[in-house]
Amino acid sequence: MFDLLAAESKRTWILYRRYPLEMFVGILMMGVTFYALLLGAQYLAGPVQQFGDRLDAVVLGYGLWMLVLMSMNRIALLLQGEAQTGTLEQVYLSPFGPVRVMLTRAVAGLGLSLTLSVGILLLMLQLTGRHLSFPAITLLPLGTVVLASYGLGLTLGALALLYKRVQEMMRLFQLGILALVILPVEQLEGPARWAGMLLPVAPGAGQLRDLMARGLPFDPGFFGLTLLNGTGHFLLGMGLFLVADRAARTRGLLGQY
């Protein structure tokens, strides 16, 4: 298993190293897009100072949205790319199996995804003149967000196995993820709070806002709920992927595009 992770990490690094311009332009465009949105909001609502700590939460939410999208889309894009190039059956013939290979590729790309997301976040902080706290404990809720995003990625991967092209579905997921990332589940009360805790990504994003944007102390009870949320959505995505995998094998869809 370690050899597989090392090989996939090397493969991911080679792909990024051969196309550095694409990575640089991607970071630049994301930063410019956010700044354009900020200028539009400032024109409508007045000076940036009127946003208060909400602007910190918005900056954090945008950077977190980018991380979730990169983590979520990776599995589906890998499956779609393998199907397009005709190498999907080779992945299935691997002694590790398709699920292990895809998850290992996703984990191998996590470091680069985090690097890109941090780069985007730092760029947005420079543009807005805001500051965020980065305590080490934030890695715990961040891990639950990544876990839930992998569950969503496996769900998209299940659709890619059966339907091959899922670009429009991925765009739909992107809008939904944006809503989940900015949902203030940590400030809701009563049934609305518990309903929000069932949604993927939302609880972890809420605890990250408390820690990084509001400077609140770490809440172990809240983290327990975010961990259950991330684990549950990951297992749900895994189950859907295994069902789709069985259906694709039965219907002979692996060698078709």
Side-chain angles (χ1 to χ4, degrees):
M1 189 64 185
F2 179 78
D3 292 338
L4 176 62
L5 180 59
E8 292 297 341
S9 300
K10 182 178 179 180
R11 172 183 178 273
T12 302
W13 170 245
I14 289 174
L15 288 175
Y16 273 93
R17 188 182 62 187
R18 288 183 178 177
Y19 306 101
L21 182 61
E22 183 178 2
M23 181 174 62
F24 173 76
V25 173
I27 294 176
L28 181 63
M29 290 303 299
M30 290 174 185
V32 170
T33 300
F34 173 80
Y35 195 56
L37 293 174
L38 178 64
L39 290 178
Q42 182 181 354
Y43 175 76
L44 293 175
V48 174
Q49 289 77 6
Q50 294 183 6
F51 288 99
D53 62 0
R54 291 184 179 180
L55 181 58
D56 296 338
V58 170
V59 172
L60 174 62
Y62 191 83
L64 192 59
W65 183 48
M66 293 294 102
L67 174 62
V68 173
L69 290 185
M70 285 186 282
S71 301
M72 180 186 69
N73 292 341
R74 186 176 299 277
I75 295 176
L77 290 175
L78 287 172
L79 283 169
Q80 187 170 286
E82 297 285 356
Q84 284 179 321
T85 55
T87 55
L88 184 58
E89 288 178 306
Q90 295 181 20
V91 174
Y92 270 77
L93 292 174
S94 166
F96 299 100
V99 176
R100 192 175 299 179
V101 169
M102 291 301 163
L103 286 178
T104 303
R105 287 185 179 180
V107 172
L110 179 60
L112 286 171
S113 297
L114 283 172
T115 302
L116 291 175
S117 299
V118 170
I120 295 168
L121 185 60
L122 292 177
L123 177 60
M124 291 186 298
L125 290 175
Q126 284 293 112
L127 291 174
T128 58
R130 309 297 293 187
H131 300 279
L132 291 174
S133 301
F134 291 90
I137 200 68
T138 56
L139 293 176
L140 294 180
L142 182 63
T144 66
V145 170
V146 173
L147 198 60
S149 66
Y150 281 163
L152 294 173
L154 286 168
T155 302
L156 280 173
L159 295 174
L161 274 181
L162 297 176
Y163 302 105
K164 307 306 179 185
R165 290 197 175 190
V166 291
Q167 287 94 333
E168 298 304 322
M169 184 63 67
M170 290 170 63
R171 292 190 181 97
L172 182 62
F173 268 56
Q174 290 174 6
L175 295 176
I177 292 299
L178 178 59
L180 293 174
V181 167
I182 65 176
L183 178 67
V185 65
E186 71 280 7
Q187 296 180 339
L188 299 178
E189 297 181 357
R193 179 181 177 88
W194 291 107
M197 294 299 294
L198 296 176
L199 298 173
V201 177
Q207 189 164 36
L208 285 172
R209 279 192 294 271
D210 281 345
L211 293 171
M212 299 179 67
R214 302 186 181 100
L216 298 179
F218 179 74
D219 186 349
F222 193 10
F223 171 71
L225 294 175
T226 64
L227 182 59
L228 287 175
N229 178 278
T231 304
H233 283 285
F234 177 78
L235 294 177
L236 177 61
M238 176 71 74
L240 292 175
F241 185 86
L242 292 176
V243 171
D245 173 63
R246 192 177 301 112
R249 291 171 186 259
T250 302
R251 293 160 56 182
L253 298 177
L254 297 181
Q256 299 178 6
Y257 182 74

